[in-house]
Amino acid sequence: MPNILTQLHNCAPKKPNTLFTNLYLLTFATFLCTLFYFLGLWHRYPAAAAALTQSSALCFRRATNQTAAAAAPSFAHLDFAAHHLLPDPPPAAERGPHLPPCAAALSEYSPCEDQVRSLRFPRRRLEYRERHCPAAAEVLRCRIPAPYGYRQPMWWPASRDAAWFANAPHKELTVEKKGQNWVHVEGERFRFPGGGTMFPRGADHYIDDIGKLINLRDGSIRTAIDTGCGVASFGAYLLSRNILTMSFAPRDTHISQVQFALERGVPALIGILATIRLPYPSRAFDMAHCSRCLIPWGQYDGVYLTEVDRVLRPGGYWILSGPPINYQKHWRGWERTRESLEDEQDEIEDVAKSLCWKKLVQKDDLAIWQKPTNHLHCKLKRKIFKTTRPFCSEALDPDTAWYTKLDTCLTPLPEVKDVKEVSGGRLSNWPERLTSIPPRIRSESLEGITAEMFTVNTQLWKKRVSYYKRLDHQLAERGRYRNLLDMNAYLGGFAAALVDDPVWVMNIVPVEAEINTLGVVYERGLIGTYQNWCEAMSTYPRTYDFIHGDSVFSLYKNRCDMVDILLEMDRILRPQGSVILRDDVDVLMKVKSIADEMQWDARITDHEEGPYERQKILVAVKEYWTAPPLERNQHS
């Protein structure tokens, strides 16, 4: 072959056309290589070469007679079929979880506060209004729809005073409380004037009156609890004073109280003081409040005030307005006799004394008591006067509060050495309280958590939240979100990192957590509650804009079904709200498959430390969808 090319080269003119010569040589070389390839193929595989030649010919001409067809080689001995097949699933078989929408009538379904199920339980002490979750066979496996016409809530602070009617289409409160300025309907909106039964001039003036009796502005009062909150106007107007209020009310005839509160962007839960403890740790709140909340404080041996004492911080305040306070002026309007109201006030005073509370002041319609900063004097008085109310046993953990029965015993405060010492440790004023070492950690009462760990955790979550805002532009958009939920809060670092944003965070400490850290969350000036995520949360559907979870599904592995937890998240998340979950990559892959079934827009991304970390982050957005419009006969 090289000799032939050499001779051809020698035959070329001395001044050839270079381009033409190169093209000629390339074409001739290609022809020769192809020819030699087929010769070699024919020599080694004669039958295959003939078949290839014949099939090539068939590409250019059509066989015209049977003879040509017969000349073609047979391929009958070649079998290209697969011999390892799985049968196709039947057409009706489900491929993974099937999560259809629920009926439109369930748009406000709260599983553990279902009014039909509640009728199975005793009415004594309002037990039927407490949490009663469905049995496994009753749990719904469908997605709760938003009502037709649902709209994204107004941004804070506009939401404090108004909400869309379509989001909670109930007018009952506007009729029942018409003269008390709770809520009005104005076209497509609800308007919340800030009124209340005991503050006709509005919550702002009412809080100003309280501020004249105790200091609300120096940061010593940061966390409050409002029992029987109505639409939570008290908590809404305390926010401008940097006081964060946990408001609660039962799901009863005053429909949508808590739903209205959360639509306004105010912290709230469905709850009631009945037979079990409130789902908060001991020494959690700086202030407790009741404005005509209709709780029989003096009855049942003062068990309800005893529970307030448990959750009230040493030196904390209890504020009461409404019956029986100032009954001399209001008894006719309350349709009660003077004698019955006087007896009720005497009962309250007796219970307060048995708790060692001091009555600070009673002025006009307000009465304020203060819890002692320690129990040294209280224990001394009991020895002298033989008081009947005993201290609770040390075996009863004061922070245990998940389906724990109420007791009339007095929760003992941590021991002190001096009468001026604050039991459990003195707290810093807000905002220093957020980052100073919490007393529960300083005192080493939480095994395995040190001051250094707390400081590192605080800095870690600043870094993580900064990364989250790069992953989720909605979280980064200031004002886009208001109500946030942290499903596994630990020390509250996620919430602390967002303190400068116009948001609040409901910090959940699961009852299955290895260490009960909810007391630390409150000592930081944050709020939260206990929760078992195998059950539904005590809130209405669509009450949170954003849900965060750190290793939640690893915690609940083998405890309950992942599908049920995700459906509960879908229930309480608003349409177009976001979710960020961090967990092991294998866990998140399973979560994503279910999230896809729920029509979330979900993706898995790298850990903030880079792609080599086994823990990953799932970012998801819930799709906007609503129930279909009601037919005319349904409206009627």
Side-chain angles (χ1 to χ4, degrees):
M1 176 104 171
N3 293 332
I4 295 173
L5 292 176
T6 304
Q7 292 175 10
L8 287 172
H9 179 73
N10 293 333
C11 292
K14 295 194 176 182
K15 291 187 179 179
N17 185 326
T18 306
L19 178 62
F20 176 80
T21 302
N22 290 342
L23 183 62
Y24 176 79
L25 292 173
L26 181 63
T27 304
F28 189 70
T30 303
F31 170 76
L32 290 176
C33 290
T34 305
L35 177 64
F36 293 143
Y37 170 76
F38 280 113
L39 286 173
L41 185 66
W42 176 80
H43 179 71
R44 190 173 181 83
Y45 304 107
L52 183 60
T53 306
Q54 181 66 26
S55 62
S56 301
L58 290 174
C59 293
F60 296 100
R61 62 181 178 84
R62 187 174 301 179
T64 57
N65 52 43
Q66 295 298 322
T67 303
S74 173
F75 292 96
H77 66 283
L78 298 178
D79 183 6
F80 295 103
H83 292 277
H84 301 281
L85 298 175
L86 289 174
D88 291 335
E94 296 180 0
R95 297 171 184 260
H98 181 53
L99 306 172
C102 301
L106 293 170
S107 65
E108 292 177 358
Y109 180 58
S110 299
C112 297
E113 284 80 20
D114 181 61
Q115 291 170 300
V116 175
R117 186 183 303 106
S118 70
L119 298 178
R120 306 176 192 171
F121 297 91
R123 290 180 173 261
R124 182 180 177 274
R125 286 180 54 183
L126 303 180
E127 182 179 347
Y128 74 106
R129 287 186 180 171
E130 293 180 316
R131 281 178 61 89
H132 300 291
C133 297
E138 298 176 296
V139 173
L140 297 180
R141 281 288 181 98
C142 56
R143 294 175 290 129
I144 302 296
Y148 181 73
Y150 178 87
R151 301 172 67 172
Q152 288 298 327
M154 300 173 194
W155 288 18
W156 183 266
S159 64
R160 187 193 70 174
D161 303 323
W164 300 114
F165 177 80
N167 292 8
H170 297 286
K171 294 185 178 180
E172 290 84 352
L173 272 178
T174 67
V175 176
E176 291 184 33
K177 304 294 182 181
K178 183 177 180 180
Q180 298 174 11
N181 277 332
W182 280 29
V183 57
H184 302 301
V185 177
E186 295 179 354
E188 296 181 327
R189 306 183 183 201
F190 288 110
R191 187 172 64 85
F192 301 94
T197 307
M198 293 307 301
F199 31 94
R201 295 185 300 151
D204 230 11
H205 284 95
Y206 176 78
I207 293 169
D208 285 341
D209 290 339
I210 295 174
K212 295 172 184 175
L213 305 176
I214 58 175
N215 195 333
L216 298 178
R217 294 192 175 275
D218 67 351
S220 60
I221 296 177
R222 165 61 180 175
T223 55
I225 184 169
D226 189 14
T227 55
C229 66
V231 296
S233 288
F234 180 71
Y237 283 85
L238 277 174
L239 286 167
S240 63
R241 295 162 171 83
N242 280 324
I243 297 175
L244 197 54
T245 306
M246 177 66 77
S247 300
F248 72 88
R251 181 166 187 161
D252 60 0
T253 54
H254 294 165
I255 294 173
S256 291
Q257 294 178 94
V258 167
Q259 190 176 22
F260 282 146
L262 288 157
E263 281 295 312
R264 300 175 71 182
V266 180
L269 284 172
I270 301 173
I272 190 171
L273 261 173
T275 67
I276 60 175
R277 283 181 171 181
L278 297 172
Y280 316 114
S282 65
R283 313 194 316 272
F285 299 99
D286 300 304
M287 179 172 70
H289 173 258
C290 164
S291 175
R292 201 174 185 182
C293 58
L294 305 180
I295 296 174
W297 297 112
Q299 296 180 25
Y300 310 116
D301 198 18
V303 68
Y304 301 132
L305 269 185
T306 305
E307 175 62 359
V308 171
D309 178 85
R310 182 185 72 85
V311 300
L312 203 58
R313 189 158 291 140
Y317 303 97
W318 183 58
I319 302 171
L320 177 64
S321 65
I325 303 303
N326 204 9
Y327 67 87
Q328 298 88 342
K329 178 181 177 181
H330 298 294
W331 66 275
R332 287 189 178 87
W334 291 337
E335 298 180 353
R336 298 265 304 273
T337 65
R338 290 174 62 99
E339 291 75 20
S340 68
L341 288 163
E342 184 177 11
D343 289 343
E344 183 179 348
Q345 179 142 359
D346 289 342
E347 288 177 346
I348 291 173
E349 301 281 7
D350 289 342
V351 174
K353 288 178 181 177
S354 73
L355 297 172
C356 300
W357 291 3
K358 174 185 178 183
K359 189 171 186 180
L360 286 183
V361 63
Q362 180 171 324
K363 184 177 181 181
D364 299 327
D365 296 339
L366 287 166
I368 302 178
W369 286 263
Q370 186 175 23
K371 179 177 177 176
T373 55
N374 59 64
H375 276 157
L376 282 183
H377 281 311
C378 187
K379 292 178 178 179
L380 182 61
K381 288 180 181 179
R382 285 167 183 273
K383 291 180 180 179
I384 297 173
F385 298 106
K386 306 296 182 183
T387 311
T388 57
R389 187 179 303 277
F391 280 102
C392 296
S393 166
E394 293 183 0
L396 183 59
D397 185 353
D399 289 347
T400 301
W402 188 251
Y403 295 121
T404 305
K405 287 294 183 182
L406 289 178
D407 204 329
T408 57
C409 62
L410 177 58
T411 302
L413 290 172
E415 295 290 338
V416 295
K417 298 178 180 179
D418 185 86
V419 72
K420 295 182 180 180
E421 188 179 345
V422 177
S423 285
R426 186 178 298 276
L427 282 173
S428 303
N429 288 354
W430 183 263
E432 291 78 14
R433 186 181 296 188
L434 182 69
T435 53
S436 60
I437 307 300
R440 278 175 165 87
I441 295 178
R442 283 203 313 265
S443 64
E444 300 181 351
S445 60
L446 293 180
E447 186 176 351
I449 300 179
T450 64
E452 183 181 2
M453 291 170 60
F454 172 81
T455 302
V456 170
N457 183 265
T458 299
Q459 295 303 316
L460 173 65
W461 278 105
K462 286 182 180 179
K463 178 180 179 181
R464 287 179 171 179
V465 168
S466 177
Y467 183 62
Y468 287 170
K469 289 182 177 181
R470 296 199 297 272
L471 297 178
D472 183 357
H473 71 275
Q474 294 191 120
L475 181 63
E477 187 177 1
R478 189 175 178 84
R480 170 66 178 85
Y481 290 152
R482 174 63 183 169
N483 304 353
L484 278 62
L485 176 72
D486 191 358
M487 297 177 69
N488 189 13
Y490 188 45
L491 302 177
F494 171 76
L498 289 163
V499 70
D500 294 326
D501 290 8
V503 302
W504 62 269
V505 180
M506 183 70 76
N507 293 280
I508 304 294
V509 172
V511 294
E512 294 80 9
E514 184 178 350
I515 304 175
N516 182 356
T517 54
L518 191 56
V520 168
V521 170
Y522 274 94
E523 287 179 343
R524 301 188 74 174
L526 305 170
I527 59 171
T529 184
Y530 295 114
Q531 176 66 36
N532 176 351
W533 286 115
C534 294
E535 300 178 359
M537 191 176 174
S538 290
T539 190
Y540 284 83
R542 302 171 303 281
T543 47
Y544 288 93
D545 303 295
F546 178 94
I547 298 176
H548 173 257
D550 180 6
S551 305
V552 174
F553 291 96
S554 289
L555 177 64
Y556 281 91
K557 186 178 180 180
N558 302 324
R559 298 181 190 270
C560 52
D561 198 321
M562 182 183 289
V563 173
D564 293 326
I565 299 177
L566 281 162
L567 280 173
E568 173 61 7
M569 293 169 63
D570 184 81
R571 183 185 76 89
I572 64 180
L573 184 64
R574 286 177 174 155
Q576 297 181 314
S578 294
V579 172
I580 291 183
L581 300 173
R582 57 192 307 124
D583 216 314
D584 183 83
V585 61
D586 291 341
V587 173
L588 289 187
M589 290 297 292
K590 296 177 183 177
V591 170
K592 186 181 183 305
S593 67
I594 301 169
D596 293 340
E597 285 281 333
M598 298 193 302
Q599 298 180 347
W600 287 5
D601 181 10
R603 70 186 193 278
I604 295 176
T605 188
D606 288 330
H607 190 276
E608 64 272 2
E609 296 295 340
Y612 300 109
E613 295 287 335
R614 183 166 179 80
Q615 190 179 68
K616 302 296 181 184
I617 296 172
L618 180 140
V619 183
V621 177
K622 179 179 175 180
E623 182 185 65
Y624 176 89
W625 65 281
T626 70
L630 294 174
E631 301 293 339
R632 288 192 176 185
N633 60 347
Q634 289 177 291
H635 279 296
S636 61

